[in-house]
Amino acid sequence: MPSENKRRALGQHFLRDGAIARAIVDLVAPTPADLVVEIGPGDGALTGILAGRAGRVVALEVDRALGAALRARFPSVEVLDADARTWDYAGLVAPSGGRVLIVGNLPYSVGKLILAALVGAGRAINEMALMLQREVAERVAAPPGGKTYGSLSVFTQLHCDVRLALRVPAGAFRPPPKVESAVLHLRVLREPRVALADERRFETVVRAAFAQRRKVLANALGAGLGLPLEVVRRAAGLAGVDPGRRAETLSLQEFADLTARLS
Ligand code: SAM
C-alpha cells in the first residue's frame, strides 16, 4: 500500500506534544508492579514514557514497519505485530500485586471497535487511558438526558467508570487530523454497574431502544423487538418506566428493569 494511503487507513497521526503524552500516562500512573498494553504505539510518543514507568509493556501495532522500528528503539518493550480489534485482552493476567493497564491513542476509524473489544474483556483489565475522536469520547462518557447518550454510553458505563479527562487539539499531532480528540480515563468495575440476568438480552433491548431514538420507548421497542405495543407497554409499566419516554432519558438501572420485564 502506498505510504500516504496506509497512513490514512491506519489513522497515523502522531502525537508531538510531550506534555500531553505525559498527562495521558499520568491518568493511569503506571508503576513497576504493573503490566501496560499499549494500543497503536506508532512512532513511540507514549511508548518511551510507558517503558520508563511500567514493569512490563506490551505494544500492539498493526504496521509492521513501525513495529520493527519500535523494537530497535525500545528493546524492553514487547512489540507485537497484532490487530488491536481482535487481540485476546481477556487472557491478560495481572502481575502479582500489580494491575493491567491499557493506554493508547486509538486510530479513529476503528476506535469504537477497539473500545468494544476492551470493554468485552471484562475484569481482565483494571484501568485505561484512551484517546479517541472527541465526538466519540463524549458519547462514551455522556450521562442520560442528552443527545450524546446512547448505546455506546450504556455498554461502556455498564462495565466502567468513565471520565472525559483531557481534550486534545488537532495541532498536537503530525499530521494534524481533521477532528478534535479527547482522552477517556476508564476504571473497570469489578461487577457490572447493574445486576443483569441476561447481558445479551440487555444489549438487544438497549440497541432496539436507541435504533429509533426519536420515537417514544414503546414504539421503538415494539418495532425493534418485534413485539406488540401492548406487551411493551405492560412490561414498561411493571418496570416503573413510562413507555412515553425516549431512550435517551433512561438510566442503566431502568434499562435493566425493563429488560427483566421484557424477558
Ligand atoms: N501512539 C502513537 C502516538 O500517539 O503518536 C500513534 C497513534 S496513531 C493515532 C494510531 C496508531 O495505531 C498507528 O500507529 C497505527 O498504525 C496503529 N493502528 C491502526 N490500526 C490498528 C489496529 N487495528 N491494531 C493495532 N494498531 C493499529
Side-chain angles (χ1 to χ4, degrees), residues 4-42:
E4 176 60 16
N5 285 352
K6 183 167 86 172
R7 189 186 67 63
R8 278 175 201 276
L10 297 180
Q12 292 180 340
H13 301 279
F14 298 133
L15 197 54
R16 286 289 173 267
D17 186 318
I20 293 176
R22 283 189 296 280
I24 293 170
V25 175
D26 283 345
L27 289 174
V28 292
T31 74
D34 297 326
L35 161 62
V36 177
V37 177
E38 187 188 357
I39 296 179

PDB file of all heavy atoms in Angstrom, residues 4-42:
ATOM      1  N   GLU A   4       1.099   7.100   1.844  1.00  0.00           N
ATOM      2  CA  GLU A   4       0.073   8.087   2.201  1.00  0.00           C
ATOM      3  C   GLU A   4      -1.281   7.391   2.441  1.00  0.00           C
ATOM      4  O   GLU A   4      -1.992   7.686   3.401  1.00  0.00           O
ATOM      5  CB  GLU A   4      -0.039   9.138   1.078  1.00  0.00           C
ATOM      6  CG  GLU A   4      -1.134  10.166   1.269  1.00  0.00           C
ATOM      7  CD  GLU A   4      -0.982  11.000   2.539  1.00  0.00           C
ATOM      8  OE1 GLU A   4       0.115  11.010   3.144  1.00  0.00           O
ATOM      9  OE2 GLU A   4      -1.978  11.611   2.959  1.00  0.00           O
ATOM     10  N   ASN A   5      -1.601   6.418   1.560  1.00  0.00           N
ATOM     11  CA  ASN A   5      -2.844   5.661   1.744  1.00  0.00           C
ATOM     12  C   ASN A   5      -2.812   4.871   3.041  1.00  0.00           C
ATOM     13  O   ASN A   5      -3.802   4.795   3.766  1.00  0.00           O
ATOM     14  CB  ASN A   5      -3.062   4.698   0.578  1.00  0.00           C
ATOM     15  CG  ASN A   5      -3.524   5.443  -0.656  1.00  0.00           C
ATOM     16  OD1 ASN A   5      -3.804   6.630  -0.578  1.00  0.00           O
ATOM     17  ND2 ASN A   5      -3.576   4.745  -1.772  1.00  0.00           N
ATOM     18  N   LYS A   6      -1.661   4.273   3.309  1.00  0.00           N
ATOM     19  CA  LYS A   6      -1.532   3.474   4.529  1.00  0.00           C
ATOM     20  C   LYS A   6      -1.703   4.377   5.752  1.00  0.00           C
ATOM     21  O   LYS A   6      -2.407   4.037   6.694  1.00  0.00           O
ATOM     22  CB  LYS A   6      -0.159   2.789   4.565  1.00  0.00           C
ATOM     23  CG  LYS A   6       0.007   1.894   5.777  1.00  0.00           C
ATOM     24  CD  LYS A   6       1.200   1.004   5.646  1.00  0.00           C
ATOM     25  CE  LYS A   6       2.452   1.704   6.133  1.00  0.00           C
ATOM     26  NZ  LYS A   6       3.605   0.816   6.196  1.00  0.00           N
ATOM     27  N   ARG A   7      -1.071   5.519   5.697  1.00  0.00           N
ATOM     28  CA  ARG A   7      -1.149   6.452   6.821  1.00  0.00           C
ATOM     29  C   ARG A   7      -2.610   6.802   7.129  1.00  0.00           C
ATOM     30  O   ARG A   7      -3.051   6.791   8.265  1.00  0.00           O
ATOM     31  CB  ARG A   7      -0.352   7.719   6.475  1.00  0.00           C
ATOM     32  CG  ARG A   7      -0.181   8.674   7.626  1.00  0.00           C
ATOM     33  CD  ARG A   7       0.474   9.957   7.191  1.00  0.00           C
ATOM     34  NE  ARG A   7      -0.318  10.775   6.315  1.00  0.00           N
ATOM     35  CZ  ARG A   7      -1.484  11.331   6.630  1.00  0.00           C
ATOM     36  NH1 ARG A   7      -1.996  11.156   7.830  1.00  0.00           N
ATOM     37  NH2 ARG A   7      -2.142  12.058   5.761  1.00  0.00           N
ATOM     38  N   ARG A   8      -3.364   7.072   6.069  1.00  0.00           N
ATOM     39  CA  ARG A   8      -4.782   7.423   6.253  1.00  0.00           C
ATOM     40  C   ARG A   8      -5.582   6.235   6.781  1.00  0.00           C
ATOM     41  O   ARG A   8      -6.346   6.362   7.729  1.00  0.00           O
ATOM     42  CB  ARG A   8      -5.403   7.827   4.921  1.00  0.00           C
ATOM     43  CG  ARG A   8      -5.147   9.239   4.526  1.00  0.00           C
ATOM     44  CD  ARG A   8      -5.733   9.445   3.125  1.00  0.00           C
ATOM     45  NE  ARG A   8      -5.123  10.576   2.470  1.00  0.00           N
ATOM     46  CZ  ARG A   8      -5.520  11.826   2.662  1.00  0.00           C
ATOM     47  NH1 ARG A   8      -6.527  12.079   3.448  1.00  0.00           N
ATOM     48  NH2 ARG A   8      -4.926  12.820   2.046  1.00  0.00           N
ATOM     49  N   ALA A   9      -5.392   5.085   6.135  1.00  0.00           N
ATOM     50  CA  ALA A   9      -6.188   3.909   6.500  1.00  0.00           C
ATOM     51  C   ALA A   9      -5.940   3.511   7.956  1.00  0.00           C
ATOM     52  O   ALA A   9      -6.847   3.050   8.639  1.00  0.00           O
ATOM     53  CB  ALA A   9      -5.850   2.749   5.575  1.00  0.00           C
ATOM     54  N   LEU A  10      -4.723   3.704   8.423  1.00  0.00           N
ATOM     55  CA  LEU A  10      -4.395   3.273   9.782  1.00  0.00           C
ATOM     56  C   LEU A  10      -4.471   4.422  10.794  1.00  0.00           C
ATOM     57  O   LEU A  10      -4.098   4.262  11.950  1.00  0.00           O
ATOM     58  CB  LEU A  10      -2.995   2.639   9.801  1.00  0.00           C
ATOM     59  CG  LEU A  10      -2.845   1.367   8.953  1.00  0.00           C
ATOM     60  CD1 LEU A  10      -1.439   0.823   9.036  1.00  0.00           C
ATOM     61  CD2 LEU A  10      -3.844   0.300   9.403  1.00  0.00           C
ATOM     62  N   GLY A  11      -4.961   5.577  10.342  1.00  0.00           N
ATOM     63  CA  GLY A  11      -5.143   6.701  11.270  1.00  0.00           C
ATOM     64  C   GLY A  11      -3.841   7.131  11.920  1.00  0.00           C
ATOM     65  O   GLY A  11      -3.790   7.383  13.124  1.00  0.00           O
ATOM     66  N   GLN A  12      -2.781   7.225  11.103  1.00  0.00           N
ATOM     67  CA  GLN A  12      -1.466   7.510  11.696  1.00  0.00           C
ATOM     68  C   GLN A  12      -1.232   9.006  11.878  1.00  0.00           C
ATOM     69  O   GLN A  12      -0.610   9.674  11.049  1.00  0.00           O
ATOM     70  CB  GLN A  12      -0.376   6.845  10.848  1.00  0.00           C
ATOM     71  CG  GLN A  12      -0.477   5.325  10.954  1.00  0.00           C
ATOM     72  CD  GLN A  12       0.566   4.602  10.133  1.00  0.00           C
ATOM     73  OE1 GLN A  12       1.148   5.161   9.206  1.00  0.00           O
ATOM     74  NE2 GLN A  12       0.793   3.325  10.432  1.00  0.00           N
ATOM     75  N   HIS A  13      -1.734   9.519  12.981  1.00  0.00           N
ATOM     76  CA  HIS A  13      -1.474  10.896  13.398  1.00  0.00           C
ATOM     77  C   HIS A  13      -0.653  10.798  14.677  1.00  0.00           C
ATOM     78  O   HIS A  13      -1.140  10.269  15.683  1.00  0.00           O
ATOM     79  CB  HIS A  13      -2.787  11.638  13.659  1.00  0.00           C
ATOM     80  CG  HIS A  13      -3.675  11.681  12.445  1.00  0.00           C
ATOM     81  ND1 HIS A  13      -3.489  12.590  11.430  1.00  0.00           N
ATOM     82  CD2 HIS A  13      -4.711  10.897  12.074  1.00  0.00           C
ATOM     83  CE1 HIS A  13      -4.389  12.372  10.479  1.00  0.00           C
ATOM     84  NE2 HIS A  13      -5.140  11.345  10.850  1.00  0.00           N
ATOM     85  N   PHE A  14       0.570  11.265  14.623  1.00  0.00           N
ATOM     86  CA  PHE A  14       1.483  11.018  15.740  1.00  0.00           C
ATOM     87  C   PHE A  14       1.546  12.217  16.681  1.00  0.00           C
ATOM     88  O   PHE A  14       1.683  13.366  16.244  1.00  0.00           O
ATOM     89  CB  PHE A  14       2.870  10.661  15.192  1.00  0.00           C
ATOM     90  CG  PHE A  14       2.855   9.396  14.370  1.00  0.00           C
ATOM     91  CD1 PHE A  14       3.475   9.339  13.127  1.00  0.00           C
ATOM     92  CD2 PHE A  14       2.207   8.256  14.821  1.00  0.00           C
ATOM     93  CE1 PHE A  14       3.445   8.167  12.366  1.00  0.00           C
ATOM     94  CE2 PHE A  14       2.162   7.087  14.076  1.00  0.00           C
ATOM     95  CZ  PHE A  14       2.788   7.046  12.844  1.00  0.00           C
ATOM     96  N   LEU A  15       1.457  11.915  17.956  1.00  0.00           N
ATOM     97  CA  LEU A  15       1.460  12.957  18.989  1.00  0.00           C
ATOM     98  C   LEU A  15       2.838  13.614  19.031  1.00  0.00           C
ATOM     99  O   LEU A  15       3.860  12.931  19.089  1.00  0.00           O
ATOM    100  CB  LEU A  15       1.128  12.273  20.323  1.00  0.00           C
ATOM    101  CG  LEU A  15       0.678  13.136  21.482  1.00  0.00           C
ATOM    102  CD1 LEU A  15      -0.507  14.019  21.125  1.00  0.00           C
ATOM    103  CD2 LEU A  15       0.309  12.228  22.658  1.00  0.00           C
ATOM    104  N   ARG A  16       2.844  14.939  19.023  1.00  0.00           N
ATOM    105  CA  ARG A  16       4.105  15.669  19.039  1.00  0.00           C
ATOM    106  C   ARG A  16       4.199  16.594  20.255  1.00  0.00           C
ATOM    107  O   ARG A  16       5.049  17.482  20.293  1.00  0.00           O
ATOM    108  CB  ARG A  16       4.258  16.502  17.754  1.00  0.00           C
ATOM    109  CG  ARG A  16       4.577  15.658  16.554  1.00  0.00           C
ATOM    110  CD  ARG A  16       6.008  15.116  16.633  1.00  0.00           C
ATOM    111  NE  ARG A  16       6.285  14.167  15.578  1.00  0.00           N
ATOM    112  CZ  ARG A  16       6.136  12.833  15.691  1.00  0.00           C
ATOM    113  NH1 ARG A  16       5.698  12.293  16.820  1.00  0.00           N
ATOM    114  NH2 ARG A  16       6.429  12.042  14.687  1.00  0.00           N
ATOM    115  N   ASP A  17       3.328  16.413  21.219  1.00  0.00           N
ATOM    116  CA  ASP A  17       3.303  17.286  22.395  1.00  0.00           C
ATOM    117  C   ASP A  17       3.636  16.435  23.623  1.00  0.00           C
ATOM    118  O   ASP A  17       2.809  15.649  24.094  1.00  0.00           O
ATOM    119  CB  ASP A  17       1.905  17.914  22.502  1.00  0.00           C
ATOM    120  CG  ASP A  17       1.821  18.944  23.620  1.00  0.00           C
ATOM    121  OD1 ASP A  17       2.368  18.676  24.706  1.00  0.00           O
ATOM    122  OD2 ASP A  17       1.215  20.000  23.395  1.00  0.00           O
ATOM    123  N   GLY A  18       4.854  16.596  24.104  1.00  0.00           N
ATOM    124  CA  GLY A  18       5.341  15.763  25.211  1.00  0.00           C
ATOM    125  C   GLY A  18       4.523  15.940  26.484  1.00  0.00           C
ATOM    126  O   GLY A  18       4.311  14.973  27.236  1.00  0.00           O
ATOM    127  N   ALA A  19       4.042  17.168  26.733  1.00  0.00           N
ATOM    128  CA  ALA A  19       3.268  17.420  27.959  1.00  0.00           C
ATOM    129  C   ALA A  19       1.954  16.639  27.907  1.00  0.00           C
ATOM    130  O   ALA A  19       1.513  16.057  28.917  1.00  0.00           O
ATOM    131  CB  ALA A  19       3.001  18.913  28.114  1.00  0.00           C
ATOM    132  N   ILE A  20       1.330  16.591  26.722  1.00  0.00           N
ATOM    133  CA  ILE A  20       0.072  15.845  26.596  1.00  0.00           C
ATOM    134  C   ILE A  20       0.352  14.348  26.737  1.00  0.00           C
ATOM    135  O   ILE A  20      -0.394  13.621  27.404  1.00  0.00           O
ATOM    136  CB  ILE A  20      -0.628  16.169  25.253  1.00  0.00           C
ATOM    137  CG1 ILE A  20      -1.091  17.619  25.265  1.00  0.00           C
ATOM    138  CG2 ILE A  20      -1.818  15.243  25.021  1.00  0.00           C
ATOM    139  CD1 ILE A  20      -1.715  18.101  23.967  1.00  0.00           C
ATOM    140  N   ALA A  21       1.443  13.877  26.142  1.00  0.00           N
ATOM    141  CA  ALA A  21       1.786  12.445  26.254  1.00  0.00           C
ATOM    142  C   ALA A  21       1.966  12.069  27.735  1.00  0.00           C
ATOM    143  O   ALA A  21       1.444  11.037  28.187  1.00  0.00           O
ATOM    144  CB  ALA A  21       3.059  12.155  25.458  1.00  0.00           C
ATOM    145  N   ARG A  22       2.660  12.913  28.488  1.00  0.00           N
ATOM    146  CA  ARG A  22       2.855  12.604  29.926  1.00  0.00           C
ATOM    147  C   ARG A  22       1.527  12.657  30.677  1.00  0.00           C
ATOM    148  O   ARG A  22       1.256  11.839  31.557  1.00  0.00           O
ATOM    149  CB  ARG A  22       3.864  13.589  30.545  1.00  0.00           C
ATOM    150  CG  ARG A  22       5.320  13.247  30.185  1.00  0.00           C
ATOM    151  CD  ARG A  22       6.295  14.089  30.981  1.00  0.00           C
ATOM    152  NE  ARG A  22       6.186  15.509  30.677  1.00  0.00           N
ATOM    153  CZ  ARG A  22       6.731  16.098  29.609  1.00  0.00           C
ATOM    154  NH1 ARG A  22       7.441  15.395  28.744  1.00  0.00           N
ATOM    155  NH2 ARG A  22       6.581  17.397  29.389  1.00  0.00           N
ATOM    156  N   ALA A  23       0.684  13.621  30.316  1.00  0.00           N
ATOM    157  CA  ALA A  23      -0.617  13.746  31.001  1.00  0.00           C
ATOM    158  C   ALA A  23      -1.480  12.503  30.763  1.00  0.00           C
ATOM    159  O   ALA A  23      -2.211  12.055  31.662  1.00  0.00           O
ATOM    160  CB  ALA A  23      -1.344  15.002  30.516  1.00  0.00           C
ATOM    161  N   ILE A  24      -1.393  11.925  29.567  1.00  0.00           N
ATOM    162  CA  ILE A  24      -2.174  10.713  29.259  1.00  0.00           C
ATOM    163  C   ILE A  24      -1.679   9.564  30.145  1.00  0.00           C
ATOM    164  O   ILE A  24      -2.471   8.866  30.793  1.00  0.00           O
ATOM    165  CB  ILE A  24      -2.043  10.346  27.762  1.00  0.00           C
ATOM    166  CG1 ILE A  24      -2.723  11.406  26.901  1.00  0.00           C
ATOM    167  CG2 ILE A  24      -2.641   8.962  27.488  1.00  0.00           C
ATOM    168  CD1 ILE A  24      -2.449  11.270  25.403  1.00  0.00           C
ATOM    169  N   VAL A  25      -0.366   9.393  30.195  1.00  0.00           N
ATOM    170  CA  VAL A  25       0.193   8.294  31.002  1.00  0.00           C
ATOM    171  C   VAL A  25      -0.111   8.520  32.487  1.00  0.00           C
ATOM    172  O   VAL A  25      -0.436   7.577  33.222  1.00  0.00           O
ATOM    173  CB  VAL A  25       1.713   8.150  30.730  1.00  0.00           C
ATOM    174  CG1 VAL A  25       2.324   7.100  31.653  1.00  0.00           C
ATOM    175  CG2 VAL A  25       1.958   7.785  29.267  1.00  0.00           C
ATOM    176  N   ASP A  26      -0.051   9.773  32.922  1.00  0.00           N
ATOM    177  CA  ASP A  26      -0.316  10.082  34.338  1.00  0.00           C
ATOM    178  C   ASP A  26      -1.727   9.659  34.766  1.00  0.00           C
ATOM    179  O   ASP A  26      -1.974   9.417  35.945  1.00  0.00           O
ATOM    180  CB  ASP A  26      -0.165  11.590  34.599  1.00  0.00           C
ATOM    181  CG  ASP A  26       1.300  12.004  34.689  1.00  0.00           C
ATOM    182  OD1 ASP A  26       2.160  11.107  34.835  1.00  0.00           O
ATOM    183  OD2 ASP A  26       1.569  13.217  34.593  1.00  0.00           O
ATOM    184  N   LEU A  27      -2.664   9.598  33.822  1.00  0.00           N
ATOM    185  CA  LEU A  27      -4.040   9.228  34.198  1.00  0.00           C
ATOM    186  C   LEU A  27      -4.083   7.852  34.852  1.00  0.00           C
ATOM    187  O   LEU A  27      -4.857   7.616  35.774  1.00  0.00           O
ATOM    188  CB  LEU A  27      -4.956   9.235  32.969  1.00  0.00           C
ATOM    189  CG  LEU A  27      -5.282  10.608  32.387  1.00  0.00           C
ATOM    190  CD1 LEU A  27      -6.067  10.446  31.092  1.00  0.00           C
ATOM    191  CD2 LEU A  27      -6.074  11.440  33.389  1.00  0.00           C
ATOM    192  N   VAL A  28      -3.250   6.936  34.352  1.00  0.00           N
ATOM    193  CA  VAL A  28      -3.262   5.584  34.927  1.00  0.00           C
ATOM    194  C   VAL A  28      -2.047   5.341  35.822  1.00  0.00           C
ATOM    195  O   VAL A  28      -1.959   4.308  36.490  1.00  0.00           O
ATOM    196  CB  VAL A  28      -3.359   4.487  33.836  1.00  0.00           C
ATOM    197  CG1 VAL A  28      -4.713   4.521  33.155  1.00  0.00           C
ATOM    198  CG2 VAL A  28      -2.243   4.615  32.810  1.00  0.00           C
ATOM    199  N   ALA A  29      -1.109   6.281  35.830  1.00  0.00           N
ATOM    200  CA  ALA A  29       0.051   6.264  36.738  1.00  0.00           C
ATOM    201  C   ALA A  29       0.690   4.881  36.881  1.00  0.00           C
ATOM    202  O   ALA A  29       0.658   4.282  37.961  1.00  0.00           O
ATOM    203  CB  ALA A  29      -0.373   6.820  38.095  1.00  0.00           C
ATOM    204  N   PRO A  30       1.291   4.352  35.799  1.00  0.00           N
ATOM    205  CA  PRO A  30       1.901   3.017  35.890  1.00  0.00           C
ATOM    206  C   PRO A  30       3.057   2.986  36.888  1.00  0.00           C
ATOM    207  O   PRO A  30       3.771   3.980  37.046  1.00  0.00           O
ATOM    208  CB  PRO A  30       2.440   2.767  34.474  1.00  0.00           C
ATOM    209  CG  PRO A  30       1.994   3.882  33.630  1.00  0.00           C
ATOM    210  CD  PRO A  30       1.511   4.995  34.492  1.00  0.00           C
ATOM    211  N   THR A  31       3.215   1.830  37.525  1.00  0.00           N
ATOM    212  CA  THR A  31       4.336   1.630  38.457  1.00  0.00           C
ATOM    213  C   THR A  31       5.089   0.365  38.001  1.00  0.00           C
ATOM    214  O   THR A  31       4.591  -0.389  37.158  1.00  0.00           O
ATOM    215  CB  THR A  31       3.834   1.398  39.892  1.00  0.00           C
ATOM    216  OG1 THR A  31       3.293   0.060  39.952  1.00  0.00           O
ATOM    217  CG2 THR A  31       2.766   2.405  40.309  1.00  0.00           C
ATOM    218  N   PRO A  32       6.246   0.094  38.586  1.00  0.00           N
ATOM    219  CA  PRO A  32       6.994  -1.117  38.195  1.00  0.00           C
ATOM    220  C   PRO A  32       6.232  -2.410  38.466  1.00  0.00           C
ATOM    221  O   PRO A  32       6.589  -3.460  37.948  1.00  0.00           O
ATOM    222  CB  PRO A  32       8.263  -1.030  39.057  1.00  0.00           C
ATOM    223  CG  PRO A  32       8.435   0.440  39.311  1.00  0.00           C
ATOM    224  CD  PRO A  32       7.040   0.981  39.459  1.00  0.00           C
ATOM    225  N   ALA A  33       5.151  -2.344  39.259  1.00  0.00           N
ATOM    226  CA  ALA A  33       4.355  -3.560  39.512  1.00  0.00           C
ATOM    227  C   ALA A  33       3.371  -3.858  38.380  1.00  0.00           C
ATOM    228  O   ALA A  33       2.812  -4.948  38.323  1.00  0.00           O
ATOM    229  CB  ALA A  33       3.584  -3.400  40.819  1.00  0.00           C
ATOM    230  N   ASP A  34       3.153  -2.898  37.481  1.00  0.00           N
ATOM    231  CA  ASP A  34       2.042  -3.008  36.522  1.00  0.00           C
ATOM    232  C   ASP A  34       2.460  -3.531  35.149  1.00  0.00           C
ATOM    233  O   ASP A  34       3.592  -3.321  34.707  1.00  0.00           O
ATOM    234  CB  ASP A  34       1.395  -1.630  36.315  1.00  0.00           C
ATOM    235  CG  ASP A  34       0.786  -1.084  37.591  1.00  0.00           C
ATOM    236  OD1 ASP A  34       0.282  -1.886  38.392  1.00  0.00           O
ATOM    237  OD2 ASP A  34       0.841   0.150  37.779  1.00  0.00           O
ATOM    238  N   LEU A  35       1.491  -4.157  34.487  1.00  0.00           N
ATOM    239  CA  LEU A  35       1.605  -4.527  33.068  1.00  0.00           C
ATOM    240  C   LEU A  35       0.794  -3.516  32.263  1.00  0.00           C
ATOM    241  O   LEU A  35      -0.378  -3.278  32.573  1.00  0.00           O
ATOM    242  CB  LEU A  35       1.026  -5.934  32.862  1.00  0.00           C
ATOM    243  CG  LEU A  35       0.641  -6.330  31.432  1.00  0.00           C
ATOM    244  CD1 LEU A  35       1.854  -6.336  30.511  1.00  0.00           C
ATOM    245  CD2 LEU A  35      -0.031  -7.699  31.421  1.00  0.00           C
ATOM    246  N   VAL A  36       1.436  -2.916  31.260  1.00  0.00           N
ATOM    247  CA  VAL A  36       0.708  -1.997  30.383  1.00  0.00           C
ATOM    248  C   VAL A  36       0.642  -2.588  28.985  1.00  0.00           C
ATOM    249  O   VAL A  36       1.654  -3.042  28.454  1.00  0.00           O
ATOM    250  CB  VAL A  36       1.401  -0.611  30.283  1.00  0.00           C
ATOM    251  CG1 VAL A  36       0.650   0.285  29.298  1.00  0.00           C
ATOM    252  CG2 VAL A  36       1.464   0.061  31.637  1.00  0.00           C
ATOM    253  N   VAL A  37      -0.554  -2.580  28.402  1.00  0.00           N
ATOM    254  CA  VAL A  37      -0.698  -2.905  26.987  1.00  0.00           C
ATOM    255  C   VAL A  37      -0.946  -1.585  26.264  1.00  0.00           C
ATOM    256  O   VAL A  37      -1.920  -0.885  26.561  1.00  0.00           O
ATOM    257  CB  VAL A  37      -1.855  -3.893  26.740  1.00  0.00           C
ATOM    258  CG1 VAL A  37      -2.025  -4.144  25.235  1.00  0.00           C
ATOM    259  CG2 VAL A  37      -1.602  -5.204  27.471  1.00  0.00           C
ATOM    260  N   GLU A  38      -0.027  -1.236  25.369  1.00  0.00           N
ATOM    261  CA  GLU A  38      -0.230  -0.023  24.572  1.00  0.00           C
ATOM    262  C   GLU A  38      -0.818  -0.395  23.219  1.00  0.00           C
ATOM    263  O   GLU A  38      -0.345  -1.317  22.547  1.00  0.00           O
ATOM    264  CB  GLU A  38       1.079   0.750  24.348  1.00  0.00           C
ATOM    265  CG  GLU A  38       0.742   2.079  23.654  1.00  0.00           C
ATOM    266  CD  GLU A  38       1.925   2.901  23.180  1.00  0.00           C
ATOM    267  OE1 GLU A  38       3.085   2.523  23.400  1.00  0.00           O
ATOM    268  OE2 GLU A  38       1.656   3.941  22.554  1.00  0.00           O
ATOM    269  N   ILE A  39      -1.843   0.346  22.826  1.00  0.00           N
ATOM    270  CA  ILE A  39      -2.503   0.082  21.537  1.00  0.00           C
ATOM    271  C   ILE A  39      -2.051   1.124  20.517  1.00  0.00           C
ATOM    272  O   ILE A  39      -2.143   2.323  20.779  1.00  0.00           O
ATOM    273  CB  ILE A  39      -4.028   0.102  21.714  1.00  0.00           C
ATOM    274  CG1 ILE A  39      -4.413  -1.035  22.646  1.00  0.00           C
ATOM    275  CG2 ILE A  39      -4.734  -0.010  20.376  1.00  0.00           C
ATOM    276  CD1 ILE A  39      -5.850  -1.141  22.946  1.00  0.00           C
ATOM    277  N   GLY A  40      -1.549   0.664  19.384  1.00  0.00           N
ATOM    278  CA  GLY A  40      -1.139   1.571  18.304  1.00  0.00           C
ATOM    279  C   GLY A  40      -0.012   2.496  18.727  1.00  0.00           C
ATOM    280  O   GLY A  40      -0.178   3.719  18.727  1.00  0.00           O
ATOM    281  N   PRO A  41       1.167   1.952  19.050  1.00  0.00           N
ATOM    282  CA  PRO A  41       2.263   2.796  19.552  1.00  0.00           C
ATOM    283  C   PRO A  41       2.832   3.747  18.504  1.00  0.00           C
ATOM    284  O   PRO A  41       3.458   4.757  18.870  1.00  0.00           O
ATOM    285  CB  PRO A  41       3.321   1.774  19.994  1.00  0.00           C
ATOM    286  CG  PRO A  41       3.010   0.529  19.227  1.00  0.00           C
ATOM    287  CD  PRO A  41       1.519   0.515  19.080  1.00  0.00           C
ATOM    288  N   GLY A  42       2.629   3.451  17.208  1.00  0.00           N
ATOM    289  CA  GLY A  42       3.068   4.382  16.158  1.00  0.00           C
ATOM    290  C   GLY A  42       4.561   4.596  16.183  1.00  0.00           C
ATOM    291  O   GLY A  42       5.333   3.639  16.082  1.00  0.00           O
TER     292      GLY A  42
END
